Amino acid sequence: MKLLTHNMLTSHVKGVTKGYPLIIKATEVKVNELEFNAQFVSRMIPKLEWNALIQAAEWLGRSQDLPSTLIPNYENDEEFLHKVHRILLEVEVIEGCLQCPESGREFPISKGVPNMLLIEDE
Amino acid sequence: MDEAASHLERDHVHSVYERIAPYFNDSRYKAWPKVKQFLLEQEPGSIVVDVGCGNGKYLHINEDIFKLGCDVCRPLVDSAWSRGHEVQLCDGLRLPYRDGCFDAVLSIAVIHHMSTKERRIRAIKEMARTLRVGGRIMIYVWAMEQKRRKFEKQDIFIPWNPNPPLSPALRERGNGTQSVSDDSASSDKHKKVRSTSSMLDESGDLISPGQQKQQRLWFFSRSLDSVLDFTSLTVSRSSSSTLQSPVDEASESRSRRTSSRGLIRQMSSLFSSSSRTSLEEDVFISDPNEQVHKNDNRSSGNGNETVPVELVHDCSAVPLPDLVSYQRDQSTLEGHVEVDGKSSQQEPLQRQESTASLLESDGMSGQSSEQLKDSCLRYYHVFREGELTQFGRTVGG
């Protein structure tokens, strides 16, 4: 699971109103190299919940001095874009779980795939 | 009701897909051109989700967008993962995504597996929820009105065939068609129309004058876009509270389709020789104007005349009711194709030229494949023309 994906994921347990972002508890993380595409990254940034990304990076111990708020004119800051590219797309959680911040329910991640299936009652 | 619905889906959708997942990597399961086109049209930097992504066959299209896939079927999701896609396990009725985070959503041949209207609407609502204002959703489902097939009911069970045999004629045409489509990837519609029309001629001979066929095609073009006859709805989520756009979008995309029918028929002809949705075993040439004669002498005929929807839970023992006898009728008329008396559950695709029977090898190879077939009955709800659009209107609010 990449952090770009994580940014979209939320807890959908019944009754939960503050299920985002899901807390990442990773036991295995991999870093893959992926071709950098500045336009792709800079277009992705406005679609993110930036705070959630910062938190996610922290949970993985990879804050990498990412700014807590977006800098203006980030589209032209190559260094910044590279950092974002890395944290969004190159870092992957292979094993671990995602925890609902409100209910505590844990969704396992195994072999890179989060299992977000709920049982009937949830 | 919801529990029964979910059990039905568990038995006749989820567990079947788990069993047949290994076959999904066959070359017969190709990406559909319209879906590919939809993805290629997305702006660079878009985020798209494929709900019910299967083994992720659409997730590689368009490098400039970020794609997520999700499905309930673990083997398929694992397969998609192994191809390098970002995928999750989840239920289409409860998507684990935050509101309005996607620029586009795909639902390709998914919601026709949901066994109640309420669930289908819920699925669409969920997808709409995750779609940003102004985003687009593409939904593909089976259409009830088809030129080659006559569904008597909207809720049906379709057996899945692991080894769809191809007649020489079909194989030929299939190959020819496929190579044409490869060549004409740059959408040379003229070519496509040509290849499809050759198919029409062949089938046209069987039942009715080619012209009639063509006219009927035109008439049914709204829901009958392909041999496999899928109806599709491309919708834009508007910011107004009533979703006016679906109707317009749908008609717009329909009129676009009418003018680019060649493209769609090309897609369909790609699949006529494949078994992508296991229709091969039960596709037969049917002239909607002709009466379907039921043949009661069939030994397999255990209640195959009609299967009321309320008895769906018993249906796994019953062969697909709609298709049984017309097929035999054809073979009697044509005298070309051998019908194996023992083959009970599958109906072959009949072509005039075909001497090699398209009968399922299953039918001839005995017990174990019979069992596999029995256990691989997939539930489908086929959509009447306009039904999907109606859902769109219900959802928009």
Side-chain angles (χ1 to χ4, degrees), chain A residues 12-118:
Chain A
H12 49 321
V13 173
K14 225 184 278 188
V16 161
T17 49
K18 295 197 174 89
Y20 180 87
L22 289 156
I23 303 165
I24 307 178
K25 297 182 174 175
T27 55
E28 186 187 330
V29 177
K30 258 194 350 188
V31 182
N32 301 309
E33 250 190 61
L34 213 72
E35 202 183 317
F36 175 71
N37 180 337
Q39 189 202 49
F40 184 90
V41 178
S42 63
R43 282 179 185 232
M44 213 47 80
I45 289 171
K47 305 190 181 185
L48 303 170
E49 286 289 325
W50 187 254
N51 295 331
L53 178 66
I54 297 301
Q55 272 198 286
E58 269 168 36
W59 286 321
L60 294 183
R62 287 163 191 277
S63 301
Q64 294 182 311
D65 47 71
L66 279 166
S68 54
T69 43
L70 276 173
I71 52 172
N73 200 30
Y74 59 78
E75 310 88 23
N76 299 315
D77 187 338
E78 278 263 328
E79 201 190 314
F80 172 74
L81 291 178
H82 265 101
K83 278 195 205 148
V84 176
H85 166 86
R86 188 173 182 79
I87 196 69
L88 270 185
L89 301 168
E90 291 186 334
V91 176
E92 295 192 46
V93 180
I94 305 299
E95 299 285 332
C97 74
L98 296 170
Q99 188 178 42
C100 171
E102 191 177 316
S103 69
R105 209 286 201 186
E106 288 187 348
F107 298 96
I109 303 176
S110 104
K111 294 188 273 181
V113 176
N115 183 346
M116 310 302 294
L117 287 167
L118 294 163

Side-chain angles (χ1 to χ4, degrees), chain B residues 76-100:
Chain B
L76 287 174
V77 166
D78 284 345
S79 173
W81 170 258
S82 68
R83 288 155 218 268
H85 301 309
E86 276 292 280
V87 281
Q88 301 86 50
L89 264 166
C90 76
D91 188 336
L93 294 173
R94 307 191 55 189
L95 294 175
Y97 308 111
R98 55 179 167 89
D99 296 358

Side-chain angles (χ1 to χ4, degrees), chain B residues 185-202:
Chain B
S186 48
S187 69
D188 179 346
K189 293 178 188 158
H190 186 60
K191 259 199 225 164
K192 289 167 186 166
V193 172
R194 226 191 294 137
S195 71
T196 314
S197 63
S198 70
M199 211 165 116
L200 278 179
D201 288 345
E202 216 171 323

